[in-house]
Amino acid sequence: VEEGDRVGAGDTLVWIEDEELRVAAEESEVDLRHLQVGYDRTKQMFQRKLISDQEHEDKKFQLEQAKLRYRRAQMELEHAVIRAPFSGVITGRSVQTGSRVTAGTKLFDLIKLEDMIARVFVPGQYLTAIREKQEAVITSEFLKEMSFNGFVKRISPVVDPKSGTFKVTIGIEDRWDYLRPGIFVDVRVVTDTHLNAVLVPKEAVVYDGGDRFVFIVQDSTATRVKLDAGFEDSKFVESLSLIEPETDIIVVGQNGLKDKAKVKIVNVEEPEDETVGTDGSSVDEG
């Protein structure tokens, strides 16, 4: 098989030249048949009390050894055909035709599609907030505007003293058509949910020192309001106070806008109205 091939459990991946193994298996089989016939005659003689117990036990011992040699030879012959232990995709081939291989030689890399995982390292302060089976959302800079569902599969109970993080294994559904092993991803684990939250677009936020502010429009006046932030993601920040639903918020040009500046609302053709400030800023509804 080659890299990129899909294989099923039990499919043949590679054949090892087995001429010597076949000869060994045939030799052990012939030896076993010979000893089996000899033991059958010995057993009959033993039952007729024509031979001693010791001679009977020796023949039986030789037969049992022959059976073990035959089983070992058959196993070695079967191992000359390397089969896929599970279904998946071949992601790497480490052997070429004519190569010499021994026990322990790496032949292939096989990825199990239905058991893809992402390993993330979470700050230790969230150790009690992360639980198994919590929902997770996986995104990647390589896959713009796409997200994938996942869940917390395993949690390491140990915090690394050097980094202050603990490892969390995220299970991902079979998305081989997009996600590939080795790709860098961002993972958000859903630890809690706030219903009916007021969301503020991140592009509306103004930073002043360690605080965050937004400009809201009240009576044609732009008012700077400190943002009391709650949950947030890559696009929105939850407002916990001061900003009510349906509040007009300036989202463009607010960095150069002064508090209490006059603005006017301009109707546009879009389904929702925009508000444009006197300095070219525009607003959106929270």
Side-chain angles (χ1 to χ4, degrees):
V1 295
E2 298 289 347
E3 294 179 0
D5 288 348
R6 286 179 178 250
V7 297
D11 286 354
T12 299
L13 304 182
V14 67
W15 283 279
I16 298 175
E17 292 185 4
D18 58 1
E19 184 177 355
E20 292 185 7
L21 297 175
R22 288 186 179 277
V23 171
E26 291 174 2
E27 183 180 20
S28 64
E29 184 178 8
V30 170
D31 186 43
L32 175 60
R33 288 203 302 265
H34 173 70
L35 290 174
Q36 182 68 59
V37 173
Y39 175 73
D40 291 341
R41 287 198 299 265
T42 301
K43 185 177 180 180
Q44 292 177 1
M45 295 175 67
F46 175 72
Q47 291 174 345
R48 295 167 59 185
K49 300 184 183 300
L50 298 176
I51 60 174
S52 65
D53 292 348
Q54 183 63 48
E55 189 174 356
H56 174 262
E57 291 297 328
D58 289 343
K59 290 292 185 179
K60 184 177 180 181
F61 174 73
Q62 293 173 10
L63 177 63
E64 294 299 326
Q65 281 191 317
K67 290 181 178 179
L68 293 175
R69 288 194 297 269
Y70 176 70
R71 287 180 56 189
R72 184 182 300 109
Q74 290 295 320
M75 290 175 59
E76 292 177 352
L77 181 60
E78 291 175 0
H79 290 167
V81 180
I82 309 302
R83 304 183 185 277
F86 52 82
S87 301
V89 171
I90 300 295
T91 61
R93 190 184 74 171
S94 305
V95 64
Q96 303 296 328
T97 300
S99 299
R100 182 175 180 82
V101 297
T102 59
T105 300
K106 179 179 178 180
L107 303 179
F108 298 95
D109 291 315
L110 177 62
I111 296 296
K112 190 175 183 180
L113 298 182
E114 62 270 22
D115 197 24
M116 297 179 69
I117 61 173
R119 296 185 179 92
V120 297
F121 296 87
V122 181
Q125 67 192 74
Y126 298 107
L127 185 60
T128 58
I130 303 296
R131 299 184 299 276
E132 290 186 6
K133 298 184 180 181
Q134 283 177 328
E135 295 181 7
V137 179
I138 297 92
T139 58
S140 175
E141 293 183 358
F142 301 99
L143 302 169
K144 300 295 186 180
E145 306 300 327
M146 298 185 68
S147 62
F148 308 92
N149 296 326
F151 62 96
V152 176
K153 189 172 185 177
R154 292 187 294 271
I155 304 171
S156 172
V158 179
V159 177
D160 183 355
K162 294 182 180 180
S163 63
T165 62
F166 62 99
K167 184 173 71 173
V168 177
T169 302
I170 304 296
I172 307 174
E173 298 176 358
D174 180 3
R175 297 311 304 268
W176 177 258
D177 46 350
Y178 297 109
L179 293 176
R180 299 298 173 92
I183 192 173
F184 286 97
V185 296
D186 295 316
V187 177
R188 291 189 296 112
V189 178
V190 180
T191 60
D192 197 2
T193 302
H194 287 179
L195 301 178
N196 302 319
V198 177
L199 302 181
V200 176
K202 277 196 169 180
E203 61 265 27
V205 178
V206 177
Y207 295 87
D208 187 357
D211 297 325
R212 293 187 283 186
F213 299 86
V214 295
F215 281 91
I216 65 173
V217 178
Q218 294 177 325
D219 299 327
S220 300
T221 301
T223 303
R224 194 172 89 152
V225 176
K226 185 176 180 180
L227 179 61
D228 184 11
F231 291 166
E232 61 182 278
D233 58 18
S234 59
K235 295 182 178 180
F236 297 98
V237 181
E238 178 190 13
S239 175
L240 298 179
S241 62
L242 299 179
I243 301 176
E244 298 295 331
E246 308 302 327
T247 300
D248 290 330
I249 299 174
I250 299 177
V251 296
V252 176
Q254 68 275 20
N255 288 314
L257 189 62
K258 294 182 179 180
D259 190 22
K260 304 303 181 182
K262 292 295 183 178
V263 297
K264 62 179 179 180
I265 297 178
V266 178
N267 291 328
V268 294
E269 295 181 357
E270 299 295 332
E272 294 182 357
D273 290 341
E274 280 190 350
T275 302
V276 179
T278 56
D279 61 350
S281 58
S282 64
V283 303
D284 200 352
E285 292 185 351

